[in-house]
Amino acid sequence: MASRRRTRLRSGLAAVLLATLAPLGVVATATPASAAECEIGKTQYFPGASPVLQRLGIGQAWTLARGRGVKVAVVDSGVNDDNAHFPDGVVLPGVSFVAGDPDPTGRTDVLGHGTAVAGIIAARALPEKRSGLIGAAPEVQILPVRVFTRDTDLQPGDTGLTGSNIARGIRWAVENGADVVNVSLSAPSTNISLGEIKSALALAERRNVVVVASSGDSDGTSRTEQRFPAAGRGVIGVAATNVQGVVDDYSVHGEHVDVAAPGSNILVAFHANGDCQTGEVALTSWAAPFVSALAAQLKQRFPEESAAQIGYRIASTAQRPVAGQRDDRQGWGAIRPYEALTATLDTRRPGPAAPGQEQVEAVASEPTGARAMEVSTDPLDPARREVLWWLIGGGGLAALALVLRPLVARARRD
């Protein structure tokens, strides 16, 4: 379905592209780019396991959940289901809000942005192609919601990105079975359609649907403004960490940032042509889908939990220097999938307020000095536990013998 037009995406140019539609101020981040040129019509695969997934401990998280049975809506530029990482049944029939779209199911993508986002979430492994790309939740299904065709250099017939279409996309996803909605798009608080976006988010909250949104990418001048949907009620706003694991000034900072996730050097699905790797600039469009994938894993593992509880798990277990403090760059810190999947809903944990708990938020505002726990698994732990129980049991028997010995001796004398 993708256009055969040969388009070269060079590292350093596409990676820093931020397209803003001037009267609307709605932003999508760059199309994928890598040190090696990625070209529409030229299929290539990047070998080797993803270092980003390794740093996140995704392999460990997969032992608990891979997103089976969960639907993630991608409100974006569409999803190209001709990519080999999306075999039949992965990309469901969705919808297109692009006027005159010949494919009303959302499964075309001229820009490639939505396809890249979907790949981060749900790409299936292709070991026969020696591809290192696999989604962070590789058993979810993708519900494509196409809300624009291009974000720059509009041609006759193209549809630009608007706040109204973002709102329509979120609402449609919620009403059509999405468990999680990913929005790697952002609009300022001055957007003329802000009321529509908030109304769609209120519907998601009532229907218990998790909404994840990028915090926005800075154009070099606006680094602290609130961006929507990330700033909306109940939404998980995501900033991007760079190769050093730090949120830099490419991410918009503010109260709407809840957590951070990797945003640079990401393997993504590229149009209908295999893989591509994004550049070193950390972009929030690529960070948000890692959080959506984690939300999908949590939905599988804890199907009875509310969207608010899912969000609390993600934020409260994130890694940060001081357990009880957040900041406007990284929110509550960098996500830790395995920790989120194994943590208890402890309302006393220093950090964000648990759903319905205000006192914890007040406690969390005071510096605790606590360091975030590192996720680790001891392979000898079961054996050590067994030995410990034998020692406890043996010690108990020895103590019992000492107590009974004089009684038995007395009984014999009698």
Side-chain angles (χ1 to χ4, degrees):
M1 293 181 185
S3 166
R4 304 296 292 181
R5 178 175 55 86
R6 296 168 67 81
T7 302
R8 295 182 182 274
L9 304 173
R10 297 182 184 276
S11 178
L13 292 177
V16 297
L17 173 64
L18 297 175
T20 304
L21 300 181
L24 302 171
V26 184
V27 176
T29 57
T31 48
S34 71
E37 292 179 351
C38 297
E39 186 177 310
I40 296 177
K42 178 182 177 181
T43 298
Q44 61 180 336
Y45 296 97
F46 286 67
S50 167
V52 172
L53 295 188
Q54 290 177 334
R55 287 200 305 271
L56 286 174
I58 292 295
Q60 191 178 16
W62 284 342
T63 65
L64 302 172
R66 294 165 62 93
R68 180 182 294 273
V70 179
K71 294 179 183 177
V72 179
V74 175
V75 178
D76 215 292
S77 61
V79 177
N80 192 328
D81 67 343
D82 284 343
N83 192 293
H85 287 287
F86 303 130
D88 290 347
V90 175
V91 181
L92 301 170
V95 70
S96 174
F97 289 104
V98 174
D101 195 335
D103 182 2
T105 68
R107 292 181 288 189
T108 57
D109 184 8
V110 176
L111 188 62
H113 189 271
T115 302
V117 168
I120 293 170
I121 298 169
R124 270 40 174 185
L126 294 175
E128 71 279 8
K129 304 289 188 182
R130 297 185 179 180
S131 169
L133 173 60
I134 184 171
E139 292 186 8
V140 307
Q141 291 180 302
I142 295 294
L143 193 62
V145 183
R146 193 178 194 211
V147 295
F148 70 110
T149 58
R150 299 183 196 274
D151 61 352
T152 187
D153 298 331
L154 292 178
Q155 304 296 322
D158 288 342
T159 296
L161 182 57
T162 68
S164 180
N165 265 9
I166 291 175
R168 294 172 69 191
I170 294 171
R171 182 174 292 276
W172 186 93
V174 170
E175 292 175 340
N176 286 272
D179 302 295
V180 179
V181 179
N182 186 93
V183 190
S184 287
L185 311 167
S186 67
S189 57
T190 55
N191 187 271
I192 59 175
S193 300
L194 188 60
E196 293 179 57
I197 294 175
K198 289 182 176 180
S199 176
L201 294 176
L203 176 65
E205 187 175 30
R206 291 196 299 273
R207 299 284 183 88
N208 210 29
V209 175
V210 179
V211 179
V212 178
S214 56
S215 68
D217 296 309
S218 172
D219 59 4
T221 58
S222 301
R223 293 195 177 104
T224 58
E225 62 180 341
Q226 279 203 329
R227 307 289 295 186
F228 285 83
R233 178 182 168 91
V235 179
I236 305 173
V238 186
T241 57
N242 58 24
V243 291
Q244 287 79 35
V246 176
V247 177
D248 54 32
D249 285 341
Y250 283 104
S251 288
V252 175
H253 314 318
E255 294 180 356
H256 64 296
V257 178
D258 295 299
V259 291
S264 63
N265 290 346
I266 310 296
L267 275 180
V268 298
F270 182 70
H271 293 268
N273 304 121
D275 309 347
C276 191
Q277 184 170 322
T278 70
E280 291 190 359
V281 174
L283 300 175
T284 59
S285 275
W286 315 142
F290 283 110
V291 179
S292 291
L294 176 54
Q297 291 173 288
L298 289 165
K299 276 283 191 179
Q300 177 194 346
R301 185 161 168 80
F302 305 104
E304 301 303 317
E305 289 192 359
S306 67
Q309 288 172 319
I310 296 294
Y312 174 69
R313 281 186 178 277
I314 293 171
S316 66
T317 58
Q319 187 170 17
R320 50 192 175 271
V322 180
Q325 291 181 331
R326 72 167 294 281
D327 62 62
D328 285 350
R329 282 178 171 265
Q330 65 173 355
W332 289 105
I335 61 168
R336 295 189 294 172
Y338 183 77
E339 190 74 8
L341 286 159
T342 55
T344 58
L345 291 175
D346 186 356
T347 59
R348 298 166 299 174
R349 180 184 291 116
Q357 299 288 324
E358 296 182 0
Q359 184 177 359
V360 177
E361 189 171 20
V363 172
S365 67
E366 298 296 327
T368 64
R371 303 295 295 183
M373 294 183 295
E374 295 290 342
V375 179
S376 62
T377 298
D378 183 355
L380 298 179
D381 185 59
R384 288 195 178 101
R385 288 177 181 272
E386 185 173 351
V387 170
L388 178 61
W389 281 112
W390 277 110
L391 289 174
I392 293 173
L397 289 174
L400 181 63
L402 290 174
V403 172
L404 292 179
R405 184 175 179 180
L407 297 177
V408 172
R410 185 183 301 171
R412 285 176 177 174
R413 288 196 301 271
D414 293 343

